[in-house]
Coordinates of all heavy atoms in Angstrom, one line a residue:
M1 N 84.0 74.5 103.4 CA 84.6 75.6 103.4 C 85.9 75.7 102.7 O 86.7 74.7 102.9 CB 84.8 76.1 104.9 CG 85.5 77.4 105.0 SD 85.4 78.2 106.6 CE 86.6 77.3 107.6
S2 N 86.2 76.6 101.8 CA 87.4 76.6 101.0 C 88.5 77.4 101.9 O 88.3 78.2 102.6 CB 87.2 77.3 99.7 OG 86.8 78.5 99.8
E3 N 89.8 77.0 101.5 CA 90.9 77.6 102.2 C 91.1 79.0 101.6 O 91.1 79.1 100.4 CB 92.2 76.7 102.0 CG 92.1 75.4 102.7 CD 93.4 74.6 102.6 OE1 94.5 75.3 102.4 OE2 93.4 73.5 102.7
I4 N 91.5 79.8 102.4 CA 92.0 81.3 102.1 C 93.3 81.3 102.6 O 93.5 81.2 103.8 CB 91.1 82.3 102.5 CG1 89.7 82.2 102.1 CG2 91.6 83.7 102.2 CD1 88.6 83.0 102.6
A5 N 94.3 81.5 101.7 CA 95.6 81.6 102.2 C 96.4 82.7 101.3 O 96.1 82.9 100.2 CB 96.4 80.2 102.1
S6 N 97.5 83.1 101.9 CA 98.3 84.0 101.1 C 99.2 83.3 100.2 O 99.6 82.2 100.3 CB 99.2 84.8 102.2 OG 100.1 85.7 101.5
S7 N 99.5 84.0 99.0 CA 100.3 83.4 98.0 C 101.5 84.3 97.7 O 101.2 85.4 97.1 CB 99.4 83.2 96.8 OG 100.2 82.8 95.7
N8 N 102.6 83.9 98.0 CA 103.8 84.7 97.8 C 104.0 84.8 96.2 O 104.4 85.8 95.8 CB 105.0 84.0 98.5 CG 106.2 85.0 98.5 OD1 106.1 86.2 98.3 ND2 107.4 84.4 98.7
S9 N 103.8 83.7 95.5 CA 104.0 83.8 94.0 C 103.0 84.8 93.4 O 103.3 85.4 92.5 CB 103.8 82.4 93.4 OG 102.5 81.9 93.6
A10 N 101.7 84.9 94.0 CA 100.7 85.8 93.5 C 101.3 87.2 93.7 O 101.1 88.1 92.9 CB 99.4 85.5 94.0
A11 N 101.8 87.4 94.9 CA 102.2 88.8 95.2 C 103.4 89.2 94.4 O 103.5 90.3 93.9 CB 102.7 88.8 96.8
T12 N 104.4 88.2 94.1 CA 105.5 88.4 93.3 C 105.1 88.8 91.9 O 105.7 89.7 91.2 CB 106.4 87.3 93.4 OG1 106.8 87.0 94.7 CG2 107.7 87.5 92.5
T13 N 104.1 88.1 91.4 CA 103.6 88.4 90.0 C 102.9 89.7 89.9 O 103.1 90.5 89.0 CB 102.6 87.2 89.6 OG1 103.2 85.9 89.6 CG2 102.0 87.5 88.3
A14 N 102.2 90.1 91.0 CA 101.6 91.4 91.1 C 102.6 92.5 91.1 O 102.4 93.5 90.3 CB 100.6 91.4 92.3
V15 N 103.6 92.3 91.8 CA 104.7 93.3 91.8 C 105.3 93.5 90.5 O 105.6 94.6 90.0 CB 105.7 93.0 92.9 CG1 107.0 93.9 92.8 CG2 105.1 93.1 94.3
A16 N 105.6 92.3 89.8 CA 106.2 92.4 88.5 C 105.3 93.1 87.5 O 105.7 93.9 86.7 CB 106.5 90.9 88.0
N17 N 104.0 93.0 87.6 CA 103.1 93.7 86.8 C 103.1 95.1 87.1 O 103.1 96.0 86.1 CB 101.7 93.1 86.9 CG 101.5 91.8 86.3 OD1 102.2 91.4 85.4 ND2 100.5 91.0 86.9
V18 N 103.2 95.6 88.4 CA 103.3 97.0 88.7 C 104.5 97.6 88.2 O 104.6 98.7 87.6 CB 103.1 97.1 90.2 CG1 103.5 98.6 90.6 CG2 101.8 96.7 90.7
K19 N 105.7 96.8 88.3 CA 106.9 97.3 87.8 C 107.0 97.5 86.3 O 107.8 98.3 85.8 CB 108.1 96.4 88.3 CG 108.4 96.5 89.7 CD 109.6 95.6 90.1 CE 110.0 95.9 91.4 NZ 111.3 95.1 91.8
S20 N 106.1 96.8 85.7 CA 106.1 97.0 84.2 C 105.4 98.2 83.7 O 105.5 98.7 82.5 CB 105.4 95.8 83.5 OG 104.0 95.8 83.7
V21 N 104.7 98.9 84.6 CA 104.1 100.3 84.3 C 105.2 101.3 84.2 O 106.0 101.5 85.0 CB 103.1 100.6 85.4 CG1 102.5 102.0 85.0 CG2 102.0 99.6 85.5
T22 N 105.1 102.0 83.0 CA 106.1 103.1 82.8 C 105.4 104.3 82.5 O 104.3 104.2 81.8 CB 107.2 102.8 81.8 OG1 106.4 102.5 80.6 CG2 108.0 101.6 82.2
I23 N 105.8 105.5 82.7 CA 105.2 106.7 82.3 C 106.3 107.5 81.7 O 107.3 107.8 82.3 CB 104.5 107.4 83.5 CG1 103.9 108.7 83.0 CG2 105.4 107.7 84.6 CD1 102.6 108.5 82.3
E24 N 106.1 107.9 80.5 CA 107.0 108.7 79.8 C 106.8 110.2 80.2 O 105.7 110.6 80.4 CB 106.9 108.7 78.4 CG 107.3 107.3 77.8 CD 107.2 107.4 76.2 OE1 107.4 108.4 75.6 OE2 107.0 106.3 75.6
K25 N 107.9 110.8 80.6 CA 107.8 112.2 81.1 C 107.3 113.2 80.0 O 106.7 114.2 80.2 CB 109.1 112.6 81.6 CG 109.6 111.8 82.8 CD 110.4 112.5 83.8 CE 110.7 111.4 84.9 NZ 111.2 111.9 86.0
G26 N 107.4 112.7 78.8 CA 106.8 113.5 77.7 C 107.5 114.8 77.5 O 108.5 115.1 78.1
K27 N 106.8 115.6 76.5 CA 107.4 116.9 76.3 C 106.7 117.8 77.2 O 105.5 117.7 77.3 CB 107.2 117.2 74.8 CG 108.1 116.5 73.9 CD 107.9 117.1 72.5 CE 108.9 116.5 71.5 NZ 108.7 117.0 70.1
Q28 N 107.4 118.8 77.7 CA 106.8 119.9 78.4 C 106.2 120.8 77.4 O 106.8 121.2 76.3 CB 107.8 120.7 79.2 CG 108.4 119.8 80.3 CD 107.5 119.5 81.4 OE1 106.8 120.4 82.0 NE2 107.2 118.3 81.8
V29 N 105.0 121.2 77.6 CA 104.3 122.1 76.7 C 104.8 123.5 76.9 O 105.0 124.0 78.0 CB 102.8 122.1 77.0 CG1 102.0 123.1 76.1 CG2 102.2 120.7 76.8
V30 N 105.0 124.2 75.8 CA 105.5 125.6 75.8 C 104.6 126.4 74.9 O 104.4 126.0 73.7 CB 106.9 125.7 75.4 CG1 107.4 127.2 75.4 CG2 107.9 124.9 76.2
L31 N 104.0 127.5 75.4 CA 103.2 128.4 74.6 C 103.9 129.8 74.6 O 103.6 130.6 75.5 CB 101.8 128.4 75.1 CG 101.1 127.2 75.2 CD1 99.7 127.4 75.9 CD2 100.8 126.7 73.8
S32 N 104.8 130.0 73.8 CA 105.6 131.2 73.8 C 104.8 132.5 73.3 O 105.1 133.6 73.7 CB 106.9 131.0 73.0 OG 106.6 130.6 71.7
E33 N 103.8 132.2 72.5 CA 103.1 133.3 71.9 C 101.7 133.5 72.4 O 101.1 134.5 72.1 CB 103.2 133.2 70.3 CG 104.6 133.3 69.8 CD 104.7 133.4 68.3 OE1 103.6 133.7 67.7 OE2 105.7 133.0 67.8
S34 N 101.1 132.5 73.1 CA 99.7 132.6 73.5 C 99.5 133.6 74.7 O 100.3 133.6 75.5 CB 99.2 131.3 73.9 OG 97.9 131.4 74.3
T35 N 98.6 134.4 74.6 CA 98.3 135.3 75.6 C 97.0 135.0 76.3 O 96.5 135.7 77.2 CB 98.2 136.8 75.2 OG1 97.2 136.9 74.2 CG2 99.6 137.2 74.6
I36 N 96.3 133.9 75.8 CA 95.1 133.5 76.5 C 95.3 132.8 77.8 O 96.1 131.8 77.9 CB 94.4 132.5 75.5 CG1 94.2 133.2 74.1 CG2 93.1 132.0 76.1 CD1 93.6 132.2 73.0
A37 N 94.7 133.4 78.9 CA 95.0 132.9 80.2 C 94.7 131.4 80.4 O 95.4 130.7 81.1 CB 94.1 133.7 81.2
S38 N 93.6 131.0 79.8 CA 93.1 129.6 79.9 C 94.2 128.6 79.3 O 94.5 127.5 79.8 CB 91.8 129.2 79.4 OG 91.7 129.5 78.1
M39 N 94.7 129.0 78.2 CA 95.8 128.2 77.5 C 97.0 128.2 78.3 O 97.7 127.1 78.5 CB 96.2 128.9 76.2 CG 95.1 128.8 75.1 SD 94.7 127.1 74.6 CE 96.2 126.9 73.5
K40 N 97.4 129.2 79.0 CA 98.6 129.3 79.9 C 98.3 128.3 81.1 O 99.3 127.5 81.5 CB 98.9 130.6 80.3 CG 99.6 131.5 79.2 CD 100.0 132.8 79.7 CE 100.6 133.6 78.6 NZ 101.2 135.0 79.0
T41 N 97.1 128.4 81.6 CA 96.8 127.5 82.8 C 96.8 126.1 82.4 O 97.4 125.2 83.1 CB 95.3 128.0 83.3 OG1 95.4 129.3 83.7 CG2 95.0 126.9 84.4
G42 N 96.2 125.8 81.2 CA 96.3 124.4 80.6 C 97.7 123.9 80.5 O 98.0 122.8 80.8
M43 N 98.6 124.7 80.1 CA 100.0 124.4 79.9 C 100.6 124.0 81.2 O 101.3 123.1 81.4 CB 100.8 125.5 79.2 CG 102.3 125.3 79.2 SD 103.2 126.8 78.7 CE 103.0 127.8 80.2
E44 N 100.3 124.8 82.2 CA 101.0 124.7 83.6 C 100.3 123.4 84.2 O 101.2 122.6 84.8 CB 100.6 125.9 84.5 CG 101.3 127.2 84.1 CD 100.8 128.4 84.8 OE1 99.9 128.3 85.6 OE2 101.3 129.5 84.4
V45 N 99.0 123.2 84.1 CA 98.5 121.9 84.6 C 99.1 120.8 83.9 O 99.4 119.8 84.5 CB 96.9 122.0 84.4 CG1 96.3 120.7 84.7 CG2 96.3 123.1 85.3
N46 N 99.2 120.8 82.6 CA 99.8 119.6 81.9 C 101.2 119.3 82.3 O 101.5 118.1 82.6 CB 99.7 119.9 80.4 CG 100.4 118.7 79.6 OD1 99.7 117.7 79.4 ND2 101.6 118.9 79.1
N47 N 102.0 120.4 82.4 CA 103.4 120.1 82.8 C 103.5 119.6 84.2 O 104.4 118.8 84.5 CB 104.2 121.4 82.6 CG 104.4 121.8 81.0 OD1 104.2 121.0 80.2 ND2 104.5 123.1 80.9
Q48 N 102.7 120.1 85.1 CA 102.7 119.6 86.5 C 102.2 118.1 86.5 O 102.6 117.4 87.3 CB 101.9 120.5 87.4 CG 102.1 120.1 88.9 CD 103.4 120.2 89.4 OE1 104.2 121.2 89.2 NE2 103.9 119.1 90.0
L49 N 101.1 117.9 85.9 CA 100.5 116.5 85.8 C 101.4 115.4 85.4 O 101.5 114.4 86.0 CB 99.3 116.5 84.9 CG 98.5 115.3 84.9 CD1 97.9 114.9 86.3 CD2 97.3 115.3 84.0
L50 N 102.3 115.7 84.4 CA 103.2 114.8 83.9 C 104.3 114.4 85.0 O 104.5 113.2 85.3 CB 104.0 115.3 82.7 CG 103.2 115.3 81.3 CD1 104.0 116.1 80.3 CD2 103.0 113.8 81.0
S51 N 104.7 115.4 85.7 CA 105.7 115.3 86.8 C 105.0 114.5 88.0 O 105.6 113.6 88.5 CB 106.2 116.5 87.3 OG 107.0 116.4 88.4
D52 N 103.8 114.8 88.3 CA 103.1 114.3 89.4 C 102.8 112.8 89.2 O 102.9 111.9 90.0 CB 101.8 114.9 89.8 CG 102.1 116.3 90.4 OD1 103.2 116.6 90.7 OD2 101.1 117.1 90.5
L53 N 102.4 112.5 87.9 CA 102.1 111.1 87.5 C 103.3 110.2 87.5 O 103.2 109.2 88.0 CB 101.5 111.1 86.1 CG 100.9 109.8 85.5 CD1 99.8 109.3 86.5 CD2 100.3 109.9 84.2
A54 N 104.5 110.7 87.1 CA 105.6 110.0 87.2 C 106.0 109.6 88.6 O 106.5 108.7 89.0 CB 106.8 110.8 86.4
Q55 N 105.9 110.7 89.5 CA 106.2 110.4 91.0 C 105.3 109.4 91.5 O 105.7 108.6 92.4 CB 106.1 111.7 91.7 CG 107.2 112.7 91.4 CD 107.0 114.0 92.1 OE1 106.0 114.3 92.8 NE2 108.0 114.9 92.1
L56 N 103.9 109.4 91.1 CA 103.0 108.5 91.6 C 103.4 107.1 91.2 O 103.3 106.1 92.0 CB 101.6 108.8 91.1 CG 100.4 107.7 91.4 CD1 100.3 107.7 93.1 CD2 99.2 108.1 90.8
V57 N 103.7 106.8 89.9 CA 104.1 105.5 89.4 C 105.4 105.0 90.2 O 105.5 103.9 90.7 CB 104.4 105.6 87.9 CG1 105.1 104.3 87.5 CG2 103.1 105.7 87.2
E58 N 106.4 105.9 90.5 CA 107.6 105.6 91.2 C 107.3 105.1 92.6 O 107.7 104.2 93.2 CB 108.6 106.7 91.2 CG 109.2 107.0 89.8 CD 110.1 108.3 89.9 OE1 110.5 108.7 90.9 OE2 110.4 108.7 88.8
C59 N 106.4 105.9 93.3 CA 106.0 105.6 94.6 C 105.3 104.3 94.7 O 105.4 103.5 95.6 CB 105.1 106.8 95.2 SG 104.5 106.5 96.8
T60 N 104.4 104.0 93.8 CA 103.6 102.8 93.7 C 104.5 101.6 93.5 O 104.3 100.6 94.3 CB 102.5 102.8 92.6 OG1 101.6 104.0 92.8 CG2 101.7 101.6 92.5
I61 N 105.5 101.8 92.7 CA 106.4 100.7 92.4 C 107.3 100.4 93.8 O 107.4 99.3 94.3 CB 107.3 101.0 91.3 CG1 106.6 100.9 90.1 CG2 108.5 100.1 91.4 CD1 107.4 101.4 88.8
T62 N 107.6 101.5 94.4 CA 108.4 101.3 95.7 C 107.6 100.6 96.8 O 108.0 99.7 97.5 CB 108.9 102.7 96.2 OG1 109.8 103.3 95.3 CG2 109.6 102.6 97.6
Q63 N 106.3 101.0 96.9 CA 105.4 100.4 97.9 C 105.1 99.0 97.5 O 105.0 98.1 98.5 CB 104.1 101.3 98.1 CG 104.3 102.6 98.6 CD 105.0 102.6 100.0 OE1 104.7 101.8 100.8 NE2 106.0 103.4 100.2
S64 N 104.9 98.7 96.3 CA 104.6 97.3 95.9 C 105.7 96.3 96.2 O 105.4 95.1 96.3 CB 104.2 97.3 94.4 OG 105.4 97.4 93.6
E65 N 106.9 96.7 96.2 CA 108.0 95.9 96.5 C 108.0 95.3 97.9 O 108.6 94.3 98.2 CB 109.4 96.6 96.3 CG 109.6 97.0 94.8 CD 110.8 97.8 94.5 OE1 111.3 98.4 95.5 OE2 111.2 97.9 93.4
K66 N 107.1 95.9 98.8 CA 107.0 95.4 100.2 C 106.0 94.1 100.3 O 106.0 93.4 101.1 CB 106.4 96.4 101.0 CG 107.3 97.6 101.2 CD 106.7 98.8 101.9 CE 107.5 99.9 102.0 NZ 106.9 101.1 102.6
F67 N 105.2 94.0 99.2 CA 104.1 92.9 99.3 C 104.6 91.5 99.3 O 104.0 90.7 100.0 CB 103.1 93.2 98.2 CG 102.1 94.3 98.6 CD1 102.4 95.6 98.2 CD2 100.9 94.0 99.2 CE1 101.5 96.6 98.6 CE2 100.2 95.0 99.5 CZ 100.4 96.3 99.2
P68 N 105.7 91.2 98.6 CA 106.1 89.7 98.6 C 106.4 89.3 100.0 O 106.2 88.2 100.6 CB 107.3 89.7 97.7 CG 106.9 90.6 96.6 CD 106.3 91.8 97.4
K69 N 107.1 90.3 100.8 CA 107.6 90.0 102.2 C 106.4 89.9 103.1 O 106.3 89.0 103.9 CB 108.6 91.1 102.6 CG 109.1 90.8 104.0 CD 110.0 89.6 104.0 CE 110.7 89.4 105.3 NZ 111.4 88.1 105.3
I70 N 105.4 90.7 102.9 CA 104.2 90.7 103.6 C 103.4 89.4 103.4 O 103.0 88.7 104.3 CB 103.2 91.9 103.3 CG1 104.0 93.2 103.8 CG2 101.8 91.7 104.0 CD1 103.3 94.5 103.3
A71 N 103.3 89.1 102.1 CA 102.7 87.8 101.8 C 103.4 86.5 102.4 O 102.8 85.6 102.9 CB 102.6 87.6 100.2
E72 N 104.8 86.6 102.4 CA 105.5 85.6 103.0 C 105.2 85.5 104.5 O 105.1 84.4 105.1 CB 107.0 85.9 102.8 CG 108.0 84.8 103.3 CD 109.4 85.2 103.1 OE1 109.8 85.8 102.1 OE2 110.2 84.8 104.0
L73 N 105.1 86.6 105.2 CA 104.8 86.6 106.6 C 103.4 86.0 106.9 O 103.1 85.2 107.8 CB 105.0 87.9 107.1 CG 106.4 88.5 107.2 CD1 106.4 89.9 107.7 CD2 107.2 87.7 108.2
I74 N 102.6 86.4 106.0 CA 101.0 86.0 106.2 C 101.0 84.5 105.8 O 100.2 83.8 106.4 CB 100.1 86.8 105.3 CG1 100.1 88.2 105.8 CG2 98.8 86.2 105.3 CD1 99.3 89.2 104.9
A75 N 101.7 84.0 104.8 CA 101.8 82.6 104.4 C 102.3 81.8 105.6 O 101.8 80.7 105.9 CB 102.6 82.4 103.2
L76 N 103.3 82.3 106.3 CA 103.7 81.6 107.5 C 102.6 81.5 108.6 O 102.4 80.4 109.2 CB 104.9 82.3 108.1 CG 105.6 81.7 109.4 CD1 106.1 80.3 109.1 CD2 106.7 82.6 109.9
Q77 N 102.0 82.5 108.7 CA 100.8 82.4 109.7 C 99.7 81.5 109.3 O 99.2 80.7 110.0 CB 100.2 83.8 110.0 CG 100.9 84.8 110.7 CD 100.2 86.2 110.9 OE1 99.6 86.6 109.9 NE2 100.4 86.7 112.1
D78 N 99.5 81.6 107.9 CA 98.5 80.7 107.4 C 98.8 79.2 107.6 O 98.0 78.3 107.7 CB 98.3 80.9 105.9 CG 97.6 82.2 105.5 OD1 97.1 82.9 106.5 OD2 97.7 82.7 104.4
S79 N 100.1 78.9 107.4 CA 100.6 77.5 107.6 C 100.4 77.0 109.0 O 100.4 75.8 109.2 CB 102.0 77.5 107.2 OG 102.9 78.0 108.1
Q80 N 100.3 77.9 109.9 CA 100.0 77.4 111.3 C 98.6 77.3 111.7 O 98.2 76.9 112.8 CB 100.7 78.4 112.3 CG 102.2 78.5 112.1 CD 102.9 79.6 112.8 OE1 102.2 80.5 113.4 NE2 104.2 79.6 112.8
I81 N 97.7 77.7 110.8 CA 96.2 77.7 111.0 C 95.7 76.3 110.5 O 96.0 75.9 109.3 CB 95.5 78.8 110.4 CG1 95.9 80.1 111.0 CG2 94.0 78.6 110.4 CD1 95.4 81.3 110.2
E82 N 94.9 75.7 111.2 CA 94.3 74.4 110.8 C 93.0 74.7 110.2 O 92.1 75.1 110.9 CB 94.2 73.4 112.0 CG 93.9 72.0 111.5 CD 93.9 71.1 112.7 OE1 94.9 71.1 113.5 OE2 93.0 70.2 112.8
F83 N 92.8 74.3 108.9 CA 91.6 74.6 108.2 C 90.6 73.4 108.4 O 91.0 72.3 108.4 CB 91.8 74.8 106.7 CG 92.5 76.2 106.5 CD1 93.7 76.2 106.2 CD2 91.7 77.4 106.5 CE1 94.4 77.5 106.0 CE2 92.2 78.6 106.2 CZ 93.6 78.6 106.0

């Protein structure tokens, strides 16, 4: 049977990879002359999606910062288990 144990260094590396993700807020789409309803809806969806995606990335980074501490606690428990 092989050992399964928590790795603080793996968790730290994973967090660093998550933190490297960036999302540019991009340009907000503006359709000043279009009167086509679907074009206006597309514009609104695009503009909201950019904002939502940026918030998702920020939230994911915030939550990922907890994982090294969790891995540390699990590693401590792992060290007390005899394989």
